[in-house]
């Protein structure tokens, strides 16, 4: 049997009804990886033997008549910057090429409690910095929809693995769009939770005030299942929240939806514009009330993000010094060990951001750059607060364009940064947002972004379900 098109729910029902076993479906996914991943390169490492062992245990439970969770025996893939005990965790970097995770991230621990199956680790832009996976030290991932195009990034491996049917679901991380933008480019669903909803413990820190772990799935229903399993307070993450995500009442009739006019200006591909407008119309036809709103500081979001993010990157990545973790190069003294290790171990984009961040934080420049960027961040958050006093949800394109070709933006970092224009404001404000595929115009997948109030994931998910 082929399980590539099955949702989590369908796989679960099949397992419970004993139509197939977890071992069978795990083998099927592993076979598909062997067959397809040479061309796609979504995976950096596989966990085949252990995965089969995990599946056998679930099959044993089922044969004993034990009740199983909806995620039990369901095979997933994990972005390689999230720690899974005893598996490699390279973050797509040479500096961690041989690094093995010593413990489980909290999100992984929770999925292990549900008895999900871990097939392997997926490719990403080095330390999650990028929008195409072209910054991976181990070579890019191809978009399964068109192998000449990027899958988006930085969670490109996870999005491609889901799209190509090489896993039932995958985990990504999102600091400025890295779950939503690849989901949009590959035609799958990606949810970036509210900052604090899912523990960051065991996620390699890129920019700690922005990072979140979230699911990449085939359907909205699946995204909800995985989100529910991972969300919750964690003592090991001081920024995680202490209350459960509320299950909100939902009715599409009368739901107030805002369309931020700043997201529909020049730079937006007309095909994306058309597809998103059609989706908005669908919501209107379903009974939602649509109104144009303004988020006036949108044009400052990228500048603010590209100061705050590198500042945090420069501090977070100081730990990769050749002493504590991974690669270590010799040198005559301690400082040359640091320099030689980082020169050899870190790629160009990572070094660029470390330098930009160190500059923005340095004496004399701190007020002009970092502090100013934080003030702009507060204004962006206020824009959203004002908008959400009038409307319940916001609809925007996830990305101004569809998946681009390899090499198209690698020569110009700024062109690459512009790919994040619709996703970074959400991270700066700490809001939840989902990207769901809409009916494409022009062949390539297009993602609709639905943004909700803080901790109102359930409203986003319910609205997303309406668009079938
Ligand atoms: N593409 C964005 C960047 O390069 C977002 C990365 C992310 O969300 N991890 O920073």
């Amino acid at each position: 049997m082929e399980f590539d098109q099955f949702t989590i729910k369908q796989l679960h029902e099949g397992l419970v009804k004993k139509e197939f076993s977890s071992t069978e479906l795990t083998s099927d996914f592993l076979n598909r990886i062997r067959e397809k991943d040479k061309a796609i390169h979504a995976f950096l490492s596989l966990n085949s033997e252990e995965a089969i062992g995990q599946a056998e245990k679930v099959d044993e439970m089922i044969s004993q008549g034990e009740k199983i969770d909806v995620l039990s025996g369901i095979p997933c893939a994990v972005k390689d910057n999230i720690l899974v005990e005893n598996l490699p965790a390279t973050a797509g970097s040479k500096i961690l090429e041989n690094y093995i995770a010593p413990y489980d991230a909290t999100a992984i621990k929770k999925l292990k409690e549900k008895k999900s199956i871990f097939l392997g680790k997926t490719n990403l832009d080095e330390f999650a910095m990028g929008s195409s996976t072209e910054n991976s030290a181990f070579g890019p991932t191809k978009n399964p929809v068109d192998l000449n195009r990027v899958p988006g990034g930085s969670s490109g491996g996870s999005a491609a693995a889901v799209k190509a049917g090489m896993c039932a679901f995958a985990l990504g991380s999102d600091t400025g769009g890295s779950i939503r933008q690849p989901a949009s480019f590959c035609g799958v669903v990606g949810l970036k939770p509210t900052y604090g909803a899912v523990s960051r413990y065991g996620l390699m820190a890129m920019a700690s005030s922005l990072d979140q772990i979230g699911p990449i799935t085939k359907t909205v229903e699946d995204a909800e299942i995985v989100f529910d399993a991972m969300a919750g307070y964690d003592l090991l993450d001081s920024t995680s929240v202490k209350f459960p995500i509320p299950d909100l009442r939902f009715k599409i009739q009368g739901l107030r939806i805002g369309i931020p006019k700043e997201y529909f200006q020049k730079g937006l591909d007309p095909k994306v514009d058309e597809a998103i407008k059609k989706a908005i119309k669908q919501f209107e036809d379903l009974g939602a009330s649509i109104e144009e709103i303004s988020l006036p500081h949108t044009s400052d979001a990228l500048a603010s993000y590209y100061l705050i993010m590198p500042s945090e990157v420069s501090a977070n990545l100081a730990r990769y010094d050749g002493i504590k973790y991974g690669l270590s190069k010799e040198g005559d003294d301690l400082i040359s060990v640091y320099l030689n290790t980082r020169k050899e171990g870190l790629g160009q984009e990572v070094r660029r951001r470390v330098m930009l961040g160190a500059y923005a934080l340095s004496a004399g420049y701190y007020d002009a750059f970092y502090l100013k960027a934080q003030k702009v961040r507060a204004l962006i958050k206020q824009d959203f607060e004002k908008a959400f006093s009038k409307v319940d949800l916001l609809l925007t394109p996830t990305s101004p364009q569809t998946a681009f070709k390899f090499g198209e933006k690698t020569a110009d970092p700024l062109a690459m940064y512009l790919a994040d224009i619709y996703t970074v404001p959400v991270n700066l404000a700490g809001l939840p947002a989902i990207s769901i595929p809409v009916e494409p115009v022009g062949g390539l997948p297009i993602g609709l972004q639905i943004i909700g109030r803080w901790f109102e994931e359930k409203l986003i998910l319910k609205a997303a379900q309406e668009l079938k």
Side-chain angles (χ1 to χ4, degrees), residues 128-131 153-154 173-178 206 305-306 309 353 420:
M129 299 179 204
S131 309
S154 62
S173 67
D174 193 313
T175 303
S178 280
M206 176 184 163
Y305 173 80
Y306 275 95
M309 175 274 296
R353 295 192 191 198
D420 309 327

Side-chain angles (χ1 to χ4, degrees), residues 17-261:
K17 289 188 195 140
K18 300 197 178 125
E19 286 167 4
F20 44 78
S21 67
S22 175
T23 318
E24 245 176 279
L25 64 96
T26 302
S27 311
D28 177 65
F29 281 114
L30 288 168
N31 287 338
R32 194 163 306 98
I33 295 170
R34 271 177 221 117
E35 209 176 278
K36 283 186 146 183
D37 207 38
K38 272 193 201 76
I40 294 174
H41 192 230
F43 284 86
L44 290 178
S45 57
L46 288 180
N47 183 36
S48 316
E49 254 171 63
E50 207 188 307
I52 295 289
Q54 290 166 344
E56 283 169 353
K57 284 199 190 121
V58 174
D59 288 337
E60 182 60 30
M61 285 173 70
I62 296 169
S63 70
Q64 301 282 316
E66 280 182 56
K67 198 171 171 333
I68 59 162
D69 186 87
V70 61
L71 284 168
S72 301
I74 310 294
C76 71
V78 179
K79 186 176 182 180
D80 211 20
N81 61 349
I82 301 172
L83 305 189
V84 182
E85 192 178 345
N86 290 330
L87 296 191
T90 68
S93 181
K94 284 259 180 258
I95 214 160
L96 292 176
E97 189 164 10
N98 300 310
Y99 183 68
I100 303 291
Y103 61 88
D104 283 327
T106 298
I108 298 296
K109 204 169 141 239
K110 290 187 164 208
L111 292 177
K112 282 191 176 172
E113 280 160 12
K114 308 271 187 207
K115 305 219 160 11
S116 292
I117 312 295
F118 294 87
L119 297 171
K121 304 296 295 291
T122 56
N123 199 15
L124 67 158
D125 288 293
E126 185 173 3
F127 285 106
M129 299 179 204
S131 309
S132 66
T133 76
E134 290 168 293
N135 295 337
S136 168
F138 307 111
T141 298
K142 311 268 171 69
N143 191 324
V145 178
D146 176 348
L147 297 180
N148 296 313
R149 293 178 188 271
V150 304
S154 62
S155 314
S158 287
V162 172
K163 183 65 185 180
M166 296 193 282
C167 59
F169 71 93
L171 300 191
S173 67
D174 193 313
T175 303
S178 280
I179 289 175
R180 291 160 286 156
Q181 186 255 18
S184 144
F185 279 17
C186 292
V188 293
V189 173
L191 174 71
K192 180 253 178 230
T194 310
Y195 184 77
V198 174
S199 170
R200 291 180 297 111
Y201 183 70
L203 166 66
M204 289 182 198
M206 176 184 163
S208 313
S209 77
L210 302 158
D211 302 339
Q212 268 294 289
I213 294 176
I216 297 181
T217 55
K218 292 191 192 86
T219 64
V220 175
E221 189 180 37
D222 283 359
E224 181 160 18
I225 292 172
V226 181
F227 170 70
D228 284 347
M230 294 193 300
Y233 174 67
D234 180 16
L235 192 67
L236 299 170
D237 172 3
S238 60
T239 58
S240 90
V241 295
K242 280 208 165 120
F243 53 85
I245 303 294
D247 195 5
L248 303 159
R249 269 195 300 153
F250 174 82
K251 217 170 124 218
I252 189 79
Q253 287 81 15
L255 186 78
R256 294 166 308 166
I257 293 182
I259 312 296
K261 64 168 191 248

Side-chain angles (χ1 to χ4, degrees), residues 369-399:
F369 294 120
Y370 182 74
L371 201 64
K372 187 88 172 272
Q374 289 291 13
K375 288 181 180 162
V376 172
R377 182 178 190 172
L379 293 173
I380 288 165
K381 202 173 161 211
Q382 272 173 25
D383 279 359
F384 282 111
E385 272 163 2
K386 279 188 201 144
F388 284 126
S389 68
K390 287 193 228 130
V391 296
D392 304 308
L393 294 171
L394 300 172
L395 298 188
T396 81
T398 304
S399 166

Side-chain angles (χ1 to χ4, degrees), residues 296-445:
H297 296 92
T298 300
S299 58
D300 301 321
L302 265 189
S304 166
Y305 173 80
Y306 275 95
L307 281 166
I308 291 170
M309 175 274 296
S311 299
E312 295 186 23
V313 160
S314 77
N316 276 328
L317 268 67
R319 73 192 66 175
Y320 307 107
D321 58 4
I323 307 292
K324 301 185 193 75
Y325 306 87
L327 183 78
S328 187
K329 287 278 146 194
E330 296 203 348
D332 296 337
D333 51 17
L334 187 61
I335 196 82
S336 11
V337 171
Y338 292 165
L339 293 175
N340 294 344
T341 302
R342 289 169 71 88
K343 194 166 145 198
E344 171 121 359
L346 298 177
Q348 199 185 23
E349 181 60 24
V350 172
R351 281 184 283 150
R352 177 182 294 123
R353 295 192 191 198
V354 167
M355 282 192 279
L356 282 171
Y359 183 81
L361 290 175
S362 57
Y365 295 107
Y366 180 93
D367 286 0
F369 294 120
Y370 182 74
L371 201 64
K372 187 88 172 272
Q374 289 291 13
K375 288 181 180 162
V376 172
R377 182 178 190 172
L379 293 173
I380 288 165
K381 202 173 161 211
Q382 272 173 25
D383 279 359
F384 282 111
E385 272 163 2
K386 279 188 201 144
F388 284 126
S389 68
K390 287 193 228 130
V391 296
D392 304 308
L393 294 171
L394 300 172
L395 298 188
T396 81
T398 304
S399 166
Q401 59 187 146
T402 51
F404 45 88
K405 294 212 166 114
F406 287 98
E408 221 174 274
K409 295 184 195 289
T410 39
D412 179 3
L414 273 181
M416 191 71 92
Y417 297 168
L418 277 167
D420 309 327
I421 195 152
Y422 299 149
T423 47
V424 298
V426 163
N427 299 74
L428 288 169
L431 291 164
I434 200 169
S435 178
I436 56 169
V438 294
E439 203 185 310
V441 175
L444 291 167

